[in-house]
Amino acid sequence: MTNYYDIDDILVEEEYVPVLFHKTANGVTIDPSAETNCAEQGSKVEVPFWLAHELQLRQAVSINLPACFDQKTRLEVQADAAYVDLRSRCPYFYEFGCKLEPLVTDRTLGILLSTAFKIRYKEALTKVYTAAHITASKYLSFLTKEETNLYEAAHLSSTAFKKWKTGGRRLERASILGRKRKDSN
Amino acid sequence: MYGRKGYQLLKDFASGEKGQLKPFNSKLFDETIEECDQNHHLMQSLMRKMQQEDLDVQNSRNADHYGALIHHLSLMRNKRCLMAYVYNRAEIVRDLAWRVGLELLDLPSEIQEKLTSLEKEYFKNHSVTLKSYMGKVGIELNVDMVPPKDPYIKVRILDDIDEGIVLSDKTTNFARHSMHFLKRTDAEPYIARGQMEELTD
């Protein structure tokens, strides 16, 4: 329940999963391919995760693995995990996978997530120290949200360390006020 | 439908820079509430249909039940999005009180524009609570946010604040780009608001 107000948690749960309906649901327009106003038993529909999760708890649907965890991704991760464009597959790759893991029958999802993460985390941290922020921008576009947060945290800590070493200004304008506007005159 | 508006509202919130406010999106907020009403209305009609067929609304599990369930879940989802939006904005407002200043008028005008009147009320009440707590404890808690090294620092004035500011030991007129040697505790709130900057050399 600590995640109720967490924005990232809510955004993760909005990702779509394919489900198979075990019971009919009347009066709802979630199934775009149905002619009538309902989702028929046995129909395959893409619904957001929060809905799929609740319906599976009540045994109305069963969840299948979404496309971002398919064989193509697995092969790419096996080949070279560090440069796979996970953000275009799913911007919340790891969190989404973690939520799906107890609900689907596929046992290899957990291993996929942890191997990909280990290799990419190491790569991300090395990039912070070796590449300038500008040249790494192409690499950054591959990272998922969680990895971007880690990258930014590492970047902040390394800048803070350099600042402490060289001795800079300690009192700063409050970051909450945003970037300084350019001087108008 | 089905939680879409709530999601858009939160995406709008998340698209701003982290820890900073965007103007309160009352259009999307109202559209989300409207979507909740639609879901509620459809759910009620499905339940009425079940009652007309003499089914036990609580326990029977037919197609109408699952339809009503989906509407109910969408409504709860939109509610969660609305609550999270207001909660996270309130967190930033509280942060503003600590980092920038306890007086609403000290906040730069572009920040004040982004707050609704309710959020301004919240800010005022929060400041009042903080001040009364600090008064009772007897310590000013919102100074020295960075551990101090020197009691005096050199500053350059960035904005026009030339009405004489009353400092603890002297009153000076501060012209733009002038440099002064001030007591740290006096300069700190102005630096936090971006009206002065610290000089190190």
Side-chain angles (χ1 to χ4, degrees):
Chain A
M1 258 308 150
T2 50
N3 287 339
Y4 187 78
Y5 292 118
D6 183 23
I7 302 259
D8 281 325
D9 195 60
I10 300 181
L11 292 176
V12 171
E13 296 210 335
E14 192 68 27
E15 298 286 336
Y16 279 85
V17 286
V19 292
L20 178 65
F21 270 85
H22 292 311
K23 309 266 168 71
T24 349
N26 218 350
V28 284
T29 49
I30 353 176
D31 190 0
S33 57
E35 298 109 26
T36 55
N37 232 21
C38 62
E40 288 291 335
Q41 185 171 349
S43 62
K44 291 208 169 104
V45 193
E46 295 250 333
V47 293
F49 178 77
W50 52 269
L51 189 57
H53 183 52
E54 292 286 337
L55 290 176
Q56 182 164 25
L57 281 177
R58 293 168 174 76
Q59 277 130 20
V61 301
S62 63
I63 301 184
N64 300 322
L65 214 51
C68 52
F69 298 108
D70 65 1
Q71 192 59 13
K72 182 160 175 273
T73 319
R74 282 165 208 260
L75 289 174
E76 287 193 14
V77 165
Q78 268 182 346
D80 183 7
Y83 292 92
V84 179
D85 189 357
L86 286 185
R87 189 188 288 186
S88 63
R89 296 231 163 60
C90 175
Y92 289 98
F93 194 76
Y94 300 106
E95 299 233 0
F96 190 40
C98 288
K99 283 189 192 269
L100 275 176
E101 218 263 326
L103 301 175
V104 292
T105 48
D106 191 344
R107 290 293 107 213
T108 57
L109 185 58
I111 307 169
L112 168 70
L113 291 173
S114 66
T115 36
F117 185 67
K118 275 185 231 162
I119 301 173
R120 290 169 70 89
Y121 183 53
K122 182 159 158 268
E123 187 66 31
L125 287 189
T126 3
K127 273 276 187 315
V128 171
Y129 287 99
T130 54
H133 209 68
I134 306 127
T135 54
S137 56
K138 183 152 188 297
Y139 172 70
L140 292 181
S141 66
F142 294 159
L143 298 178
T144 67
K145 282 266 166 55
E146 306 100 339
E147 290 165 345
T148 320
N149 288 340
L150 289 170
Y151 182 90
E152 312 251 300
H155 191 72
L156 273 177
S157 77
S158 84
T159 3
F161 177 69
K162 284 182 198 143
K163 192 169 169 191
W164 172 79
K165 246 173 78 170
T166 56
R169 266 185 218 164
R170 296 170 84 242
L171 290 175
E172 293 279 357
R173 186 172 187 267
S175 59
I176 209 171
L177 295 175
R179 302 213 195 294
K180 259 193 210 152
R181 288 192 315 272
K182 282 243 176 329
D183 206 358
S184 46
N185 17 336
Chain B
M1 274 305 250
Y2 310 111
R4 227 43 218 168
K5 289 286 174 194
Y7 173 65
Q8 280 169 9
L9 185 66
L10 281 185
K11 275 218 79 132
D12 177 60
F13 180 81
S15 65
E17 294 229 12
K18 203 165 178 195
Q20 282 167 31
L21 281 179
K22 296 177 79 174
F24 189 85
N25 198 335
S26 28
K27 178 167 169 286
L28 264 180
F29 199 81
D30 291 331
E31 282 175 11
T32 314
I33 297 184
E34 223 183 273
E35 205 182 78
C36 286
D37 283 333
Q38 279 176 354
N39 277 321
H40 184 71
H41 182 71
L42 286 168
M43 186 177 86
Q44 294 251 336
S45 64
L46 282 168
M47 282 167 74
R48 244 177 285 132
K49 185 164 166 248
M50 280 173 78
Q51 274 180 337
Q52 279 166 0
E53 292 168 5
D54 283 329
L55 292 168
D56 180 8
V57 176
Q58 300 257 1
N59 291 324
S60 53
R61 295 275 175 272
N62 68 338
D64 288 331
H65 166 84
Y66 288 108
L69 176 69
I70 292 179
H71 284 295
H72 172 74
L73 290 172
S74 311
L75 211 151
M76 297 293 283
R77 172 76 177 177
N78 271 337
K79 173 186 169 192
R80 182 182 179 191
C81 294
L82 290 169
M83 301 269 283
Y85 186 69
V86 176
Y87 179 84
N88 281 286
R89 284 182 72 95
E91 203 173 348
I92 297 181
V93 168
R94 287 199 294 276
D95 223 10
L96 276 175
W98 277 106
R99 306 260 191 96
V100 182
L102 292 173
E103 293 298 324
L104 186 60
L105 299 169
D106 280 344
L107 297 178
S109 54
E110 60 264 9
I111 303 274
Q112 287 195 43
E113 279 163 7
K114 294 179 190 172
L115 301 174
T116 61
S117 50
L118 281 173
E119 286 171 344
K120 287 181 188 159
E121 270 298 309
Y122 182 68
F123 182 87
K124 274 189 221 146
N125 293 336
H126 191 66
S127 303
V128 162
T129 327
L130 280 177
K131 276 185 216 160
S132 86
Y133 178 66
M134 288 198 264
K136 290 213 180 99
V137 172
I139 318 176
E140 270 195 62
L141 291 169
N142 58 346
V143 296
D144 288 341
M145 296 300 242
V146 173
K149 276 193 172 164
D150 286 316
Y152 284 89
I153 52 169
K154 217 154 114 179
V155 292
R156 180 190 294 139
I157 315 294
L158 295 175
D159 276 349
D160 294 315
I161 27 174
D162 40 30
E163 307 91 57
I165 317 276
V166 179
L167 300 174
S168 26
D169 47 359
K170 57 191 173 193
T171 323
T172 331
N173 273 330
F174 292 111
R176 211 148 169 218
H177 302 301
S178 60
M179 298 203 279
H180 298 269
F181 201 56
L182 295 179
K183 240 174 150 180
R184 199 176 198 285
T185 38
D186 296 330
E188 219 180 312
Y190 293 103
I191 297 180
R193 288 198 286 274
Q195 291 169 317
M196 295 187 190
E197 62 176 0
E198 186 184 354
L199 297 172
T200 52
D201 45 36

